[in-house]
Each structure stands twice: as structure tokens, then as C-alpha cells.
């Protein structure tokens, strides 16, 4: 759909809406694609935000966390409201900017909406980063990643549950565990629990939780390290991309 209001285009803005809170494994029917919405391809007068055309949207475990009903304030981010559009990292192009850090045509990544165009305003613009792509890697990379006969020095945990239990038994003395996520637990009615915590004491292992929001300032450094390694084939990555149009 496309119409003109003065010289400002109003176009269709397809969105993915959360129908209702999710318990257990998320189903397609928990969400609804709504094609009736529209957006003005013009920033509101005086707006210091950024209007972005989205190219890629991330569908990952974080989204499930916010689809679940939780008491307000009990987590670092509240649940989505049923009936509202889902938000998460995306990669897109700046359509219009009222923020001096961005200009029309810039490629950006950051928190955006599951929709064709997003108006990103207020503190949300702080999570928006300009993509310089000097390493010429696929754009979708920007929204995002044995056996140990001698034991494990450092474990970056994204799985939790049985995996974490197995790792705990195989940690080296004075090893370290960075707890980032526990995806094996998110869709269970009752968490499985971790049984081998005694290893933390016996092997003097440190386990610490991390939240990405506290490390955004290191993102540039991360790209400087990882992108050349990908280009040189020293690191590989796997992405599962679905076409939504
Ligand atoms: N601490 C933080 O600030 C922070 C921020 C963002 C994400 N996270 C956490 O980081 C982890 C990865 O998130 P992501 O955004 O990278 O997700 P992602 O790209 O969607 O990857 C999820 C991965 O988990 C695997 N997986 C799914 N269920 C599993 C299970 N029961 N046991 C083992 N593996 C399973 C999937 O394997 P298949 O593809 O084979 O299904 C996939 O490889 C999650 O635990 C998430 O909560 C933490």
C-alpha cells in the first residue's frame, strides 16, 4: 500500500505482534503478522530519533524471554505486552535521521522492531550502531557465533542444564565459567537444576553471569578482532535466515 500525504509517503508497515504471553515452547500461533499498519516515511517534526528500513531481524532466545509473563521489574527488561510488536536486534538502513550520529543511507544495527520500518527514538537510539563494514562481510553477521582430555580452562555457557553439569565435572583447577545463557531451560515448566556445583569449590572454579548491555562499549573492539578472523577463515559462523516477505 502506498499513498501520498502532501509530499510524505505513507506506506504499509507489516509487523509481527505478540498475541499472548507464551508458556512452554513458543508456537507460530503465539504471534500474528499484521499487514494493516502503515507508517509515514518522514520523521515527526522535531524528532531526534531515526527512521530505519529493516533488512534483517534476529529471532533468538532473548525474544522468548520477553514473550513470557513476568512481574514488572523482575528482570532486566520487562515482558512484551500482548498486542504489541516484538522487538529485537536488526540490521537496516537509515531512511531519515534527527540524530546527528546518523545520516540517511547509513547502514545500522541495533534494537529495532519486527516490522518493515521502525521509528527508533529516545534511549533506544543508544543501542543503534553504524555499520562501517570495512571488512566486507555479510550484513547479517552484525546481529549476532570435544572433547577436553586435560580439562576445561574457560567455558562460555549458553546452554545450562545437563551441558553445564557435564562441564562442571570436566573443569580444570581454577577454571572460569562465563554464564551468558541457559537455552536448554527456557521452555521447561520447571528448570532441571544443576547437580555438580560442588566442583566449583573442589576445583576453585569461578562462575560469573554477564549481560550484553554492560559491554556495548567493547563492540568496536569485538568487530576489529572477529571480522578479520572470519575473512581469514580462522573463525566460521552459522546463520539460519528465513525470508519473511
Ligand atoms: N547474557 C546476555 O546478555 C545474553 C544476550 C543475548 C543472548 N544470550 C543467551 O545466549 C544464548 C544464545 O543466544 P543467541 O541469540 O546466540 O541464539 P541463537 O543464535 O538462536 O542460537 C541458539 C543456539 O542454541 C541451540 N539450542 C537450542 N536449544 C538448545 C538446547 N536445548 N540445548 C542445546 N542447545 C540448544 C540452537 O541449536 P539449533 O540451531 O540446533 O536449534 C542454536 O545453536 C542463549 O542462551 C541466550 O539466552 C545472553
Amino acid at each position: 500500500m502506498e499513498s501520498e500525504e502532501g509530499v510524505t509517503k505513507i506506506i504499509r508497515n507489516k509487523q509481527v505482534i505478540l498475541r499472548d504471553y507464551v508458556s512452554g515452547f513458543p508456537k507460530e500461533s503465539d504471534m500474528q503478522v499484521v499487514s494493516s499498519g502503515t507508517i509515514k516515511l518522514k520523521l515527526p517534526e522535531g524528532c531526534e530519533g531515526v527512521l530505519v528500513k529493516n533488512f534483517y531481524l534476529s529471532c533468538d532466545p532473548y525474544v522468548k524471554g520477553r514473550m513470557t509473563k513476568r512481574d514488572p521489574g523482575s528482570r532486566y527488561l520487562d515482558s512484551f505486552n500482548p498486542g504489541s510488536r516484538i522487538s529485537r536486534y536488526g540490521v537496516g538502513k537509515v531512511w531519515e535521521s534527527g540524530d546527528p550520529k546518523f545520516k540517511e543511507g547509513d547502514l545500522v544495527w541495533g534494537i529495532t522492531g519486527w516490522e518493515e520500518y521502525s521509528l527508533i527514538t529516545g534511549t533506544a537510539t543508544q543501542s543503534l550502531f553504524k555499520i562501517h563494514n570495512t571488512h566486507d562481510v555479510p550484513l547479517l553477521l552484525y546481529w549476532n557465533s570435544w572433547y577436553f582430555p586435560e580439562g576445561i580452562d574457560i567455558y562460555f555457557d549458553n546452554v545450562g542444564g545437563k551441558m553445564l553439569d557435564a562441564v562442571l565435572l570436566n573443569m580444570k583447577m581454577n577454571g572460569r565459567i562465563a554464564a551468558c545463557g541457559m537455552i536448554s531451560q527456557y521452555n521447561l515448566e520447571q528448570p532441571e537444576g544443576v547437580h555438580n556445583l560442588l566442583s566449583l569449590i573442589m576445583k576453585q572454579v569461578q562462575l560469573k553471569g554477564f549481560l550484553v548491555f554492560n559491554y556495548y562499549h567493547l563492540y568496536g573492539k569485538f568487530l576489529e578482532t572477529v571480522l578479520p578472523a572470519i575473512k581469514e577463515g580462522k573463525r566460521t559462523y552459522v546463520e539460519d535466515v528465513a525470508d519473511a516477505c
Side-chain angles (χ1 to χ4, degrees):
M1 191 187 93
E2 226 172 77
S3 69
E4 304 268 339
E5 191 190 75
V7 288
T8 307
K9 263 191 180 169
I10 298 177
I11 64 160
R12 180 197 72 178
N13 195 23
K14 198 159 48 167
Q15 297 183 310
V16 181
I17 303 290
L18 175 68
R19 271 188 209 267
D20 204 352
Y21 294 120
V22 174
S23 63
F25 208 87
K27 304 177 296 299
E28 212 172 309
S29 57
D30 294 323
M31 293 159 276
Q32 186 183 8
V33 178
V34 176
S35 302
S36 52
T38 58
I39 187 166
K40 245 189 215 182
L41 284 187
K42 184 97 196 109
L43 280 177
E45 194 63 38
C47 176
E48 293 177 354
V50 186
L51 184 60
V52 171
K53 179 175 171 54
N54 294 310
F55 294 152
Y56 295 104
L57 301 168
S58 178
C59 174
D60 56 63
Y62 160 101
V63 177
K64 162 67 202 309
R66 296 193 66 193
M67 289 172 146
T68 305
K69 186 173 171 53
R70 300 189 197 280
D71 291 336
S74 64
R75 280 252 179 140
Y76 56 92
L77 282 172
D78 286 339
S79 308
F80 295 129
N81 290 319
S84 65
R85 69 113 171 81
I86 291 166
S87 65
R88 186 52 178 146
Y89 288 129
V91 166
K93 193 186 230 176
V94 173
W95 197 267
E96 196 185 348
S97 177
D99 182 325
K101 290 198 300 296
F102 306 101
K103 62 176 189 328
E104 187 186 325
D106 280 348
L107 291 169
V108 286
W109 80 270
I111 305 282
T112 182
W114 280 16
E115 57 196 345
E116 289 171 287
Y117 293 85
S118 294
L119 179 57
I120 301 169
T121 56
T123 53
T125 56
Q126 290 165 16
S127 77
L128 209 59
F129 296 87
K130 194 162 156 174
I131 296 174
H132 297 283
N133 209 10
T134 41
H135 297 286
D136 195 27
V137 295
L139 279 182
L140 60 85
L141 243 187
Y142 285 85
W143 44 261
N144 264 332
S145 340
W146 297 308
Y147 165 60
F148 297 95
E150 291 167 19
I152 301 168
D153 297 290
I154 296 179
Y155 175 58
F156 192 86
D157 188 20
N158 272 325
V159 177
K162 293 186 180 70
M163 181 75 182
L164 177 58
D165 255 337
V167 166
L168 280 168
L169 290 179
N170 287 283
M171 287 302 291
K172 260 190 180 170
M173 199 64 84
N174 296 312
R176 288 175 292 160
I177 300 177
C180 172
M182 300 208 168
I183 194 170
S184 65
Q185 306 299 296
Y186 301 158
N187 300 315
L188 303 178
E189 293 293 340
Q190 288 294 328
E192 281 172 327
V194 181
H195 304 279
N196 297 323
L197 286 174
L198 191 60
S199 294
L200 294 180
I201 301 167
M202 297 319 220
K203 297 177 183 174
Q204 296 160 68
V205 169
Q206 285 184 51
L207 185 150
K208 184 173 179 348
F210 291 92
L211 281 175
V212 68
F213 310 101
N214 298 325
Y215 298 92
Y216 278 152
H217 61 287
L218 296 176
Y219 186 68
K221 203 170 168 189
F222 164 79
L223 291 180
E224 276 172 30
T225 312
V226 167
L227 295 183
I230 289 172
K231 284 218 88 177
E232 290 163 28
K234 292 182 182 161
R235 294 283 180 281
T236 55
Y237 64 94
V238 179
E239 291 286 5
D240 184 4
V241 181
D243 190 349
C245 295

